[in-house]
Amino acid sequence: MLKRISGNTFYLPGPVNIGVYDHGDGSCTVIDTGIDKDSGRKIQKALEQENLALDRIINTHAHADHFGGNAFLVRRLKAEVWAPSLEAAIILYPELEPLYLYSARPLPELQTKFLQATPSPVDRIIEAGSRTEEGLEFIPLPGHSLGQIGVATPDGVLFTGDAFFARETLEKYFLPYFIDIPRAKETMSSLLAGQYKYYLPSHGLLTDDPQETLSANLKRLQAIDEFILSSLKGEPKTREALLAELISACDLLLNPAQYHLYNSTLGAHLSGLAEENKLEFIFAEGKMFWQLK
Ligand SMILES: [Zn+2]
């Protein structure tokens, strides 16, 4: 059942919170669609209960759990799909997600619905900073993915996608998934300004005060940077050696999906630290080593 946040802005709570903006003329926009056709079906049911026709879907970013319900809703309800350009590429060709995680033709173990959604058409490319005729504004929130956007409604609600994670998620996954650490930090710092009345992360609870959660996220990114810098104090190490250290120091759960998500996130920390001039790489013994600069 839809829950009202404020004015015409609603959401459908779940493992991935779905945003709904009522246009006031019997039609609506849905923000993200969950992981598969079952989540699409739940969205359809919730909209039917409120007599809302689905006009368009907006995808904050192209992770499988955020657009997996698109195909069902497009087929059933003829909705349009809008997404930022880089994200649109993956929504059209979802095999790109396991492909970039593995960096070659992916293992079948990575081609599950959690990392490779059903493809969906994309009807319009979203420019960050633009708005729809109903006043929905697209806010750039890069970091967790390269082109992620948030959606701000005229009721002062910001749907933040995966720009930051709930504290419980941080406890559960020591290494939260980010692909560009400097941009993730900038995004979180910009959200600290607190210009919206309500914030709804895709995984977590609605809040009117995200400061503490944002600080915890920033602290975690800092802690991982520091772990890497202090581990490299004694000697240069390969990415694989650093990953093994992180996994055993933090007692991280291992399976094919998690391993590649950790590896990608570690890669983001390494390229971020190189961008900040703190690290550099060298080649020796046929290996690529990271060392302090
Ligand atoms: Zn995501």
Side-chain angles (χ1 to χ4, degrees):
M1 212 168 96
L2 292 187
K3 283 190 165 181
R4 187 190 300 270
I5 302 174
S6 175
N8 286 5
T9 310
F10 299 80
Y11 76 114
L12 182 62
V16 179
N17 293 317
I18 309 297
V20 177
Y21 185 71
D22 179 350
H23 299 168
D25 61 359
S27 70
C28 71
T29 290
V30 154
I31 298 143
D32 287 337
T33 59
I35 197 161
D36 58 13
K37 62 176 185 314
D38 292 336
S39 38
R41 198 170 283 124
K42 275 185 203 147
I43 294 168
Q44 182 187 11
K45 230 185 210 163
L47 298 183
E48 278 170 2
Q49 279 172 350
E50 303 294 330
N51 284 320
L52 283 171
L54 180 56
D55 196 17
R56 78 169 78 87
I57 293 164
I58 291 169
N59 290 125
T60 58
H61 65 294
H63 286 157
D65 56 332
H66 291 253
F67 75 92
N70 282 19
F72 174 89
L73 290 168
V74 166
R75 203 171 52 242
R76 284 287 177 93
L77 305 178
K78 312 278 175 256
E80 276 196 5
V81 177
W82 294 19
S85 57
L86 265 177
E87 310 297 321
I90 300 166
I91 294 170
L92 289 165
Y93 304 105
E95 61 270 33
L96 287 171
E97 189 179 353
L99 187 146
Y100 73 66
L101 282 171
Y102 185 67
S103 82
R105 191 171 79 85
L107 303 169
E109 286 84 350
L110 298 179
Q111 294 181 290
T112 67
K113 71 172 182 181
F114 300 101
L115 296 176
Q116 182 172 333
T118 306
S120 134
V122 176
D123 300 283
R124 193 179 297 199
I125 299 298
I126 290 173
E127 298 294 335
S130 65
R131 56 173 75 213
T132 70
E133 61 191 52
E134 302 85 16
L136 295 174
E137 197 183 346
F138 303 122
I139 312 297
L141 300 176
H144 173 71
S145 77
L146 292 181
Q148 180 174 252
I149 48 133
V151 182
T153 79
D155 301 309
V157 179
L158 181 64
F159 293 100
T160 58
D162 291 347
F164 63 92
F165 294 102
R167 294 188 74 125
E168 302 71 54
T169 313
L170 290 182
E171 313 266 296
K172 201 167 152 197
Y173 302 100
F174 179 81
L175 210 56
Y177 189 72
F178 289 98
I179 204 162
D180 181 341
I181 306 301
R183 253 44 64 195
K185 288 177 184 167
E186 284 166 21
T187 286
M188 289 174 199
S189 303
S190 73
L191 292 174
L192 276 172
Q195 63 183 109
Y196 301 96
K197 270 194 280 182
Y198 297 100
Y199 297 77
L200 186 67
S202 295
H203 313 284
L205 299 176
L206 179 70
T207 178
D208 58 3
D209 182 13
Q211 309 281 332
E212 215 183 292
T213 311
L214 284 165
S215 302
N217 277 259
L218 279 162
K219 243 168 111 179
R220 177 59 56 84
L221 295 184
Q222 200 59 35
I224 297 162
D225 278 351
E226 278 160 19
F227 181 98
I228 295 167
L229 292 172
S230 94
S231 164
L232 292 176
K233 253 182 202 145
E235 49 172 334
K237 286 177 185 163
T238 63
R239 176 166 167 179
E240 202 159 7
L242 284 166
L243 184 58
E245 268 180 34
L246 261 173
I247 288 170
S248 61
C250 308
D251 201 15
L252 302 179
L253 172 82
L254 269 189
N255 58 45
Q258 284 304 330
Y259 181 83
H260 288 88
L261 291 166
Y262 300 146
N263 188 41
S264 177
T265 299
L266 172 60
H269 280 272
L270 292 172
S271 59
L273 287 166
E275 183 185 320
E276 291 167 6
N277 253 330
K278 293 178 179 157
L279 287 188
E280 61 185 6
F281 58 83
I282 51 162
F283 290 100
E285 304 156 21
K287 296 176 191 168
M288 179 171 169
F289 288 95
W290 288 90
Q291 65 183 16
L292 299 181
K293 208 168 171 184

